[in-house]
Amino acid sequence: MSPPCLPPGAEDDLPVYLARPGTADPVARQKHGGLFCSVEGAFESKTIDFDALSIPRGAERRRGDVSPRVEIRTSGGKEELQNLPDEKSDRLLIKGGRIVNDDQSFHADIYLEDGLIKQIGDNLIVPGGVKTVEANGKMVIPGGIDIHTHFQMPYRGTTTVDDFAQGTKAALAGGTTMIVDHVIPDPGCSLMEAYDQWRQWADEKTCCDYSLHVDITHWNDSVKQEVDSLIKEKGVNSFQVYMAYKDYYQMSNSELYEVFSFLAERGGIAEVHAENGEIIAEEQARMLQMGITGPEGHVLSRPEELEAEAVFRAITIASQTNCPLYVTRVMSKSAADIISQARKKGNVVFGEPITASLGTDGTHYWSKNWAKAASFVTSPPLSPDPTTPDYLNTLLSSGDLSVTGSAHCTFSVAQKAIGKDDFTQIPEGLNGVEERMTLIWDKAVTTGKMDENMFVAVTSTNAAKILNLYPRKGRIAVGSDADLVIWDTDSIRTITAKTHNSAAEYNVFEGMELRGAPQVVVCQGKIVLEDGNMHIISGVGRFIPCSPFPDFAYKRIKARKQLAVLRAVPRGMYDGPVSEFSLSRGGTPSASARTSPTKQPVRNLHQSGFSLAGNPAQCGEPSFLIRTPTTRPLGPSSKHVFTSAGHV
Amino acid sequence: MQQSNPEGVSERLLIKGGRVVNDDQSIYADVYIEDGLIKQVGENLVVPAGVKVIEANGRMVIPGGIDVNTCLMKSHLGTQPADDFLQGTKAALAGGTTMIIDHVTPEPGQSLLEAFERWQEAADKKACCDYSLHVDVPQWDETVKEELELLVQDKGINSFQVYMAYKDLYQLSDSQLYEAFSFLKQLGAVALVHAENGDVIAQEQTKILRMGITGPEGHALSRPEELEAEAVFRAITLGNRVNCPVYITKVMSKSAADTIAQARRRGCVVFGEPITASLVTDGSHYWNKNWAKAAAYVTSPPLSTDPTTPDHLNTLLASGDLQVVGSAHCAYSTSQKAIGREDFTLIPEGTNGVEERMAFVWDKAAAMGKMDENQFVAVTSTNAAKIFNLYPRKGRIAVGSDADVVIWDPDSSKIISAKLQQSASEYNIFEGVECRGGPALVLSQGRVVYEEGQLQAQQGAGRFIPRKHFPDYAYQRIKIRDQVHKQGVTRGMYDGPVHDVFATPKYVTPSPSAKTSPTSHQPPPIRNLHQSNFSLSGAQADDFVPRRSGHRIVAPPGGRSNITNLG
């Protein structure tokens, strides 16, 4: 079922009969009589009760009637007897919730079976013996998608402390039912092998569905082929390239151009880690020379303008190659501004702020406690400007930034201490997968920056669209995966490393009081979290393949490709004198093809538009755009021999 | 043309009844000139007898223009531009410009110093007006560094151009730019930047040629304006990191100009130079059916195809977001342009503009009411003199300044045509454009060189004007910013457990020049725990026991796991 689309907010004013199916209408329609009979009760009440028809008030009243607790009942007795023998089948009915998608919110019940959403509406006909969750008017939202994690990432012989089991457990505890992890092959290693390795690790351990980005750490023809087969056969549609980590992961502008062109052809999304690696390397050396070795050196050597510069450059190259661009980890105001300006100019670019950049700032790098300061180290660093989180939340609410990730990549203090004498050696990464949804709710929704629908969009739906998983993920609709969350808007909890599900000793959000939390989390049709109790099974997570050419990114790209056919101007041959010249030093030589790629122009003067001085009006008019029909032969052009300056 | 100089005897001149326009104010005053210098400015001057008097009749008397960007000897594939120092400076004088700053463009691998000397020799022979030189840095290594130092210290050069375009030829990488900027900043020089993303251009050129587009339109198509804006942004970022003043030559597009304006609002020390061509005409001509005409417009960055660009640039120039107007005069004959008749990448780049520069700024900005006459003087002359440390010798009418003076006639009007120009090239890209305003009389070094359409330039009269380093206009802010120091946080040593790592480092960002670990050069951090703020969680049993310095804590008090708790 797909309810009609209404602009958010408009629904409040509409009467129920126009609103959509599955409304708060307290009186369910009765089957009565026949086609031509009068409707029962039709003549009894002549006064229309508008209160009953308007949704929000109806909802409130309904909510007032019942207790705010979510109840989970398992039916027994008679129903169980009449029902099928397989009690284990995952059937679940969520009653009385308010379904919140990215486009609208409405009251309806949801029936889940076999890990899918089977029915949505009022008065569903469901088999007996179904476990029922009474949502009592609470929000039911699609499970979050954390589009950026690094679980079990190898680092100098060890791995991050949160492996796929621990990490996905934290994700589920925070209301995130799908994660997208980054595969990071070592430079020079095969992408395919790394991908297989990651699949193996994840398949063993994950508790929720997952998908993978693959990072392109070097570029050559064999990588090209691997990328091609990853897109075609392995279900990966997003690839990250690095503009930082000089001499290691970093790519030159030419390589970026080639990668972006290639991905644009194959329908992939180009993700960039945007920082100017060359300047960072210089600045790091300078900081160390100045004797700054602590974590504050990390942020001093990576000022936010380097991030902004790289974002600008990445957008330029992507726009040249007509490739959709995804900027991972937007950490600063200036970088976010550049993305929003580019979007205003029409570039296809998506920005991903992370939990940390939305929740905290970089002043902690100056903490006297080394271990605490080091736990904030990530790249690009958190901005020392304390107004940054608020600003990023605003842009997220306005739609200038599109998705949120967590960039969850946790190291123990002992691991961080590898860089205790040299900040460049501190492993980079911080936590955030568990806090992500709660933090956005607290910082953006309760402050009135965004509404609940936008909340769903930035935590789940947009990510699903970019990865081409929509509407399987990121929406509560019939046929979608049964990943959903009953969201408690009122709960308040304090973040602390003592109670979080990650294995890290520090939590960068330590001590923050955040409103809003998942009350019940349903993943693959099973309840994995209810009232703080987790029931997870590691290894049940499935790999969800992403197909290329996601509409969300590529519809515009495709249309532009058809427009952007460049044509040469048909001219006659230039027949005038040519100066002597030596080709010993080239003009601007073309990069890859050293041989002159020029083809001999056709010397057909009848088709030529070449004319010596004469009709100047003709010359003044630029014929430069693109779709002008060019086969029109111009007037009878006699043999023109270019002699000297013909001033036109 | 070469008339004998009637003023050769006395070289004393009095300009009477003019309105002296400087960049800050306009006053009615007489100007008395002797020995090539302005000796007196004021009313009722006491002057010796026998002085030649020029009646200005209330017209504007302005400092002679300074054209900061000309390329009169920039060879392309072995051919020299059609306008050499003689032809080019004659054109300059005819347009009211009394000083040019030419670009010395050494070939990659060539000595900067030698190239400079060749340029100076040629200019000394031929130039008709005072000149100075920028030196372009085509590559970056230790010898270049030494030469730069020599040029700054001994030769009077304070501005050097680096290229972000021309891949595999002039282009410098970001690391090299960083080093170049740091070095130039130490020398007190201004970093000029040719801002275009050369890597992407190279890719685009290949693509466009493969599509069969070989004409001049390919030049514009392969160098879209966002590549210019991107490089400008990057150059400004680099300049701001190392705290070096950055000067963007040839601002050709709206987006590049906007990027500069935004950066200035953020406080970056950056200057933008639109050129005559970008202020007047646009890139639609690249699609002209006449190959020779289309090729005449080829320059880099290309003229923007957006026809509203000239107006926008004039507006920013008037508002002060762009500071200086150059001409980037680099005129090639049509037969030279025809080197690239089958491949636009070989077309020699350059347009004319030295002669038309001042008149067009007047026509497009001052006569349109965008800027006043003082701002006109600022952008055509004074700002250039300030940025390149020639002020107040040049760029101002004041006692003691050089007698480079122009009497400007705001009402004259002419139609630009290649037939009437001084330049030797066959095409004029402003052909047929009507232009108000023009010089009525031009004085260079105290001599009348142009009067009512008659040019009396003297070959070889031009002097090389050396320029000192650390121009105040650019460096005052830089110097103060340098005094702000960054400091590390004083922490105690981290004494907790450290994870063992493999010898092969991963995730290291090595520094480019010093490949050895930079930590090894450093003094070890002070291990004085008394000064330390390091604290393990909570009160400890040994809190009251004073710690010896240098005491190695093998097992931290309170057990090893304490570091995991939160303080």
Side-chain angles (χ1 to χ4, degrees):
Chain A
M1 82 164 228
S2 88
C5 277
L6 291 168
E11 62 218 17
D12 292 356
D13 308 319
L14 287 172
V16 160
Y17 50 82
L18 284 183
R20 68 239 125 193
T23 58
D25 189 339
V27 185
R29 180 184 280 183
Q30 304 278 317
K31 272 190 187 158
H32 173 72
L35 189 56
F36 298 102
C37 290
S38 60
V39 177
E40 192 187 43
F43 307 106
E44 290 168 15
S45 170
K46 299 291 180 196
T47 313
I48 300 170
D49 180 2
F50 284 104
D51 279 358
L53 293 175
S54 113
I55 304 152
R57 268 172 284 178
E60 268 165 40
R61 194 179 54 192
R62 179 181 176 144
R63 208 165 138 182
D65 295 344
V66 291
S67 76
R69 302 297 310 161
V70 170
E71 298 162 30
I72 301 173
R73 291 194 310 260
T74 313
S75 54
K78 202 170 116 196
E79 290 157 325
E80 205 169 296
L81 287 174
Q82 66 176 208
N83 210 335
L84 303 161
D86 59 326
E87 297 158 347
K88 297 282 182 208
S89 85
D90 306 310
R91 293 173 174 178
L92 200 60
L93 178 67
I94 298 174
K95 270 185 89 81
R98 190 157 49 93
I99 296 177
V100 179
N101 274 327
D102 68 322
D103 51 351
Q104 59 175 3
S105 316
F106 55 95
H107 289 276
D109 300 342
I110 308 168
Y111 174 63
L112 314 174
E113 194 180 316
D114 298 332
L116 293 178
I117 297 172
K118 291 286 183 185
Q119 296 179 51
I120 294 177
D122 283 341
N123 305 319
L124 300 178
I125 300 165
V126 298
V130 165
K131 204 182 205 184
T132 306
V133 178
E134 198 58 64
N136 290 333
K138 286 205 160 61
M139 284 169 60
V140 183
I141 59 174
I145 299 175
D146 189 334
I147 197 165
H148 187 165
T149 64
H150 297 273
F151 295 148
Q152 215 167 329
M153 186 183 80
Y155 176 80
R156 293 204 194 178
T158 57
T159 57
T160 50
V161 291
D162 286 329
D163 61 7
F164 277 100
Q166 197 76 35
T168 49
K169 185 181 168 197
L172 288 169
T176 297
T177 55
M178 176 171 181
I179 57 134
V180 190
D181 206 74
H182 277 270
V183 176
I184 309 179
D186 277 332
C189 294
S190 155
L191 268 59
M192 200 57 92
E193 278 167 28
Y195 166 84
D196 290 337
Q197 180 67 67
W198 252 262
R199 278 292 304 273
Q200 193 195 331
W201 286 334
D203 283 337
E204 273 169 20
K205 290 188 174 169
T206 48
C207 316
C208 66
D209 289 348
Y210 72 98
S211 192
L212 294 172
H213 307 291
V214 176
D215 294 7
I216 300 176
T217 46
H218 57 294
W219 186 247
N220 53 36
D221 281 337
S222 75
V223 172
K224 246 185 191 179
Q225 278 171 5
E226 289 187 318
V227 169
D228 195 37
S229 56
L230 281 169
I231 292 178
K232 285 189 179 137
E233 295 152 23
K234 301 292 184 179
V236 176
N237 75 355
S238 45
F239 297 86
Q240 171 157 318
V241 291
Y242 291 85
M243 298 170 81
Y245 305 110
K246 184 175 155 139
D247 299 334
Y248 200 60
Y249 294 150
Q250 187 177 327
M251 295 223 177
S252 71
N253 292 340
S254 306
E255 286 170 325
L256 288 176
Y257 185 96
E258 285 180 14
V259 174
F260 288 5
S261 317
F262 187 77
L263 289 176
E265 240 170 69
R266 305 298 151 106
I269 304 270
E271 303 186 306
V272 287
H273 176 113
E275 277 183 297
N276 189 319
E278 303 210 3
I279 309 184
I280 288 171
E282 300 274 351
E283 292 275 309
Q284 283 181 335
R286 191 166 70 100
M287 286 301 148
L288 289 171
Q289 249 158 34
M290 287 164 69
I292 299 178
T293 59
E296 69 277 12
H298 180 74
V299 66
L300 290 174
S301 63
R302 291 167 174 263
E304 70 174 71
E305 52 185 338
L306 301 191
E307 189 192 346
E309 187 279 316
V311 170
F312 198 105
R313 185 148 43 99
I315 289 172
T316 306
I317 298 174
S319 143
Q320 274 312 300
T321 54
N322 203 13
C323 176
L325 182 75
Y326 178 103
V327 180
T328 58
R329 295 196 241 199
V330 176
M331 305 298 279
S332 66
K333 285 162 95 167
S334 42
D337 275 340
I338 296 220
I339 291 171
S340 79
Q341 276 165 24
R343 286 174 67 90
K344 262 166 228 152
K345 276 190 291 192
N347 292 331
V348 182
V349 52
F350 307 104
E352 169 209 278
I354 65 168
T355 322
S357 62
L358 293 169
T360 182
D361 60 56
T363 51
H364 302 279
Y365 292 118
W366 279 267
S367 166
K368 295 275 189 185
N369 181 344
W370 188 91
K372 186 177 178 201
S375 71
F376 285 83
V377 169
T378 187
S379 287
L382 289 159
S383 167
D385 177 352
T387 60
T388 305
D390 191 59
Y391 191 79
L392 293 182
N393 277 298
T394 307
L395 288 191
L396 190 63
S397 312
S398 68
D400 283 346
L401 299 173
S402 315
V403 277
T404 53
S406 67
H408 189 90
C409 179
T410 44
F411 291 97
S412 69
V413 172
Q415 285 171 321
K416 289 267 183 188
I418 292 167
K420 70 185 167 58
D421 298 323
D422 177 357
F423 65 85
T424 62
Q425 308 288 320
I426 301 174
E428 293 168 355
L430 35 69
N431 64 301
V433 70
E434 187 175 354
E435 298 81 6
R436 187 177 65 101
M437 296 187 63
T438 297
L439 192 118
I440 294 166
W441 184 268
D442 183 80
K443 298 284 175 194
V445 186
T446 60
T447 53
K449 282 185 200 285
M450 63 167 75
D451 57 22
E452 55 193 23
N453 303 97
M454 193 66 188
F455 172 71
V456 169
V458 299
T459 54
S460 175
T461 312
N462 288 351
K465 285 179 176 170
I466 289 172
L467 293 167
N468 221 356
L469 298 172
Y470 188 80
R472 178 174 177 188
K473 301 279 182 190
R475 185 169 184 87
I476 297 181
V478 174
S480 298
D481 276 1
D483 289 348
L484 36 88
V485 173
I486 299 182
W487 191 258
D488 182 2
T489 55
D490 304 320
S491 91
I492 296 179
R493 62 175 173 155
T494 307
I495 304 292
T496 165
K498 289 181 187 109
T499 58
H500 72 190
N501 284 288
S502 158
E505 297 113 321
Y506 270 89
N507 188 315
V508 295
F509 310 104
E510 188 73 33
M512 272 189 200
E513 233 184 48
L514 299 179
R515 279 215 273 172
Q519 196 159 24
V520 175
V521 177
V522 179
C523 180
Q524 298 181 358
K526 294 187 192 65
I527 295 176
V528 294
L529 173 88
E530 44 170 322
D531 282 332
N533 303 315
M534 298 201 69
H535 320 284
I536 55 163
I537 311 159
S538 128
V540 299
R542 300 162 298 181
F543 174 74
I544 312 283
C546 307
S547 50
F549 293 108
D551 273 352
F552 193 58
Y554 266 92
K555 262 190 182 156
R556 285 175 286 171
I557 297 281
K558 281 179 189 163
R560 287 175 198 183
K561 258 184 200 154
Q562 287 164 5
L563 276 179
V565 181
L566 303 173
R567 294 256 176 84
V569 175
R571 293 190 184 89
M573 278 290 287
Y574 171 84
D575 285 334
V578 179
S579 284
E580 292 291 309
F581 67 101
S582 55
L583 255 178
S584 57
R585 62 167 270 239
T588 19
S590 41
S592 16
R594 279 297 171 135
T595 53
S596 166
T598 30
K599 294 173 198 92
Q600 197 62 28
V602 193
R603 267 188 73 111
N604 184 347
L605 285 173
H606 288 290
Q607 289 183 2
S608 139
F610 181 72
S611 92
L612 283 169
N615 181 4
Q618 194 182 34
C619 308
E621 118 196 305
S623 64
F624 69 96
L625 257 182
I626 287 161
R627 281 166 302 166
T628 41
T630 48
T631 43
R632 162 183 70 122
L634 280 176
S637 55
S638 54
K639 261 186 206 152
H640 286 307
V641 177
F642 189 93
T643 45
S644 65
H647 293 297
V648 185
Chain B
M1 284 289 188
Q2 293 287 333
Q3 292 183 1
S4 63
N5 210 353
E7 286 80 45
V9 205
S10 67
E11 287 195 347
R12 289 172 178 178
L13 269 173
L14 180 66
I15 302 171
K16 264 185 91 81
R19 189 153 48 92
V20 174
V21 180
N22 275 321
D23 68 320
D24 51 350
Q25 61 176 2
S26 312
I27 49 168
Y28 283 94
D30 301 342
V31 181
Y32 173 63
I33 291 162
E34 195 181 316
D35 297 333
L37 293 178
I38 295 171
K39 291 286 183 186
Q40 296 178 56
V41 178
E43 287 175 87
N44 308 318
L45 301 179
V46 182
V47 296
V51 164
K52 184 182 173 187
V53 177
I54 297 167
E55 281 294 343
N57 291 329
R59 281 181 296 193
M60 290 163 58
V61 178
I62 60 173
I66 299 174
D67 189 338
V68 284
N69 188 349
T70 62
C71 297
L72 302 178
M73 252 179 84
K74 181 184 178 184
S75 65
H76 175 84
L77 301 175
T79 68
Q80 293 281 326
D83 286 338
D84 60 359
F85 273 105
L86 171 63
Q87 212 68 41
T89 50
K90 270 161 81 176
L93 288 172
T97 297
T98 55
M99 176 169 182
I100 60 157
I101 310 185
D102 200 70
H103 276 274
V104 176
T105 45
E107 308 282 317
Q110 215 181 19
S111 157
L112 269 59
L113 214 53
E114 274 172 30
F116 166 76
E117 276 158 6
R118 253 186 326 119
W119 250 259
Q120 200 182 18
E121 195 188 343
D124 279 338
K125 269 188 212 148
K126 290 181 178 169
C128 312
C129 67
D130 288 349
Y131 72 96
S132 187
L133 296 170
H134 305 295
V135 177
D136 294 6
V137 181
Q139 79 264 9
W140 188 252
D141 52 45
E142 287 303 315
T143 51
V144 168
K145 270 186 175 177
E146 284 164 27
E147 290 186 322
L148 288 182
E149 204 163 348
L150 209 68
L151 284 167
V152 170
Q153 308 287 352
D154 302 345
K155 301 292 182 184
I157 304 292
N158 72 3
S159 49
F160 299 91
Q161 171 152 315
V162 291
Y163 291 87
M164 298 172 81
Y166 305 108
K167 187 174 156 134
D168 300 332
L169 192 63
Y170 297 135
Q171 186 176 329
L172 299 187
S173 73
D174 284 359
S175 298
Q176 289 172 324
L177 287 172
Y178 185 98
E179 286 182 14
F181 284 4
S182 321
F183 191 72
L184 290 177
K185 176 254 181 95
Q186 277 171 24
L187 295 177
V190 178
L192 315 185
V193 182
H194 177 111
E196 276 183 298
N197 189 320
D199 288 339
V200 179
I201 288 171
Q203 298 274 2
E204 292 279 316
Q205 284 179 336
T206 325
K207 191 177 93 184
I208 301 266
L209 285 173
R210 218 185 292 131
M211 290 165 71
I213 300 178
T214 58
E217 70 275 15
H219 181 74
L221 291 174
S222 63
R223 292 167 174 263
E225 71 173 70
E226 52 185 341
L227 301 189
E228 189 192 348
E230 187 279 314
V232 168
F233 196 99
R234 186 147 43 99
I236 292 171
T237 307
L238 277 157
N240 200 32
R241 278 329 297 159
V242 302
N243 203 12
C244 171
V246 172
Y247 178 102
I248 310 289
T249 58
K250 300 200 225 183
V251 176
M252 305 298 280
S253 66
K254 283 162 93 166
S255 44
D258 286 341
T259 307
I260 293 170
Q262 277 164 21
R264 288 177 64 86
R265 240 162 269 152
R266 285 201 309 266
C268 301
V269 182
V270 55
F271 306 105
E273 169 207 280
I275 65 169
T276 322
S278 64
L279 290 172
V280 177
T281 182
D282 61 56
S284 52
H285 300 280
Y286 292 120
W287 278 263
N288 197 294
K289 297 272 188 185
N290 180 342
W291 188 92
K293 185 172 180 199
Y297 287 84
V298 170
T299 185
S300 286
L303 289 159
S304 168
T305 45
D306 178 352
T308 61
T309 304
D311 194 55
H312 187 77
L313 294 183
N314 277 299
T315 307
L316 289 191
L317 190 64
S319 70
D321 281 341
L322 300 173
Q323 291 72 39
V324 205
V325 183
S327 68
H329 188 90
C330 184
Y332 289 101
S333 70
T334 301
S335 65
Q336 286 173 318
K337 290 267 183 187
I339 291 169
R341 71 196 185 286
E342 284 161 12
D343 179 355
F344 64 85
T345 62
L346 296 175
I347 301 175
E349 293 168 354
T351 56
N352 64 303
V354 69
E355 186 174 352
E356 299 82 2
R357 188 179 67 101
M358 295 190 60
F360 270 124
V361 175
W362 183 266
D363 180 73
K364 298 284 174 191
M368 302 285 283
K370 279 186 201 282
M371 63 168 69
D372 57 22
E373 56 192 22
N374 304 99
Q375 179 73 359
F376 170 72
V377 169
V379 299
T380 54
S381 174
T382 313
N383 288 351
K386 285 178 177 170
I387 293 172
F388 296 111
N389 226 356
L390 296 163
Y391 189 80
R393 179 174 176 187
K394 302 280 182 189
R396 188 168 183 86
I397 296 184
V399 176
S401 298
D402 275 1
D404 289 350
V405 176
V406 171
I407 297 181
W408 190 257
D409 182 0
D411 303 319
S412 78
S413 163
K414 67 169 174 175
I415 292 172
I416 306 291
S417 162
K419 293 181 185 97
L420 306 172
Q421 73 187 1
Q422 296 293 329
S423 161
S425 63
E426 300 110 323
Y427 267 91
N428 188 315
I429 59 168
F430 311 110
E431 188 75 33
V433 180
E434 192 178 344
C435 173
R436 278 161 296 177
L441 180 124
V442 179
L443 293 178
S444 171
Q445 301 176 7
R447 271 193 302 270
V448 178
V449 290
Y450 178 84
E451 192 172 6
E452 304 300 339
Q454 290 303 310
L455 196 64
Q456 304 154 12
Q458 204 176 19
Q459 179 171 359
R463 301 164 298 181
F464 173 74
I465 311 284
R467 295 173 289 135
K468 283 216 184 69
H469 50 115
F470 291 110
D472 272 352
Y473 193 64
Y475 267 93
Q476 258 176 358
R477 284 176 287 171
I478 297 283
K479 281 178 186 163
I480 294 169
R481 288 177 197 184
D482 267 347
Q483 289 163 11
V484 184
H485 283 296
K486 286 173 185 151
Q487 276 188 332
V489 176
T490 44
R491 292 189 185 89
M493 278 292 286
Y494 170 83
D495 282 333
V498 178
H499 204 279
D500 284 331
V501 288
F502 282 148
T504 44
K506 197 191 167 185
Y507 263 102
V508 196
T509 22
S511 51
S513 23
K515 282 277 175 173
T516 53
S517 164
T519 33
S520 56
H521 308 307
Q522 295 192 47
I526 314 150
R527 270 187 71 107
N528 184 348
L529 287 173
H530 291 291
Q531 290 178 359
S532 140
N533 317 79
F534 180 71
S535 98
L536 290 163
S537 62
Q540 300 296 336
D542 59 351
D543 271 356
F544 307 102
V545 183
R547 286 172 182 161
R548 283 174 294 125
S549 61
H551 178 87
R552 183 164 190 91
I553 302 174
V554 182
R560 295 200 53 193
S561 61
N562 266 4
I563 197 66
T564 62
N565 292 343
L566 291 149

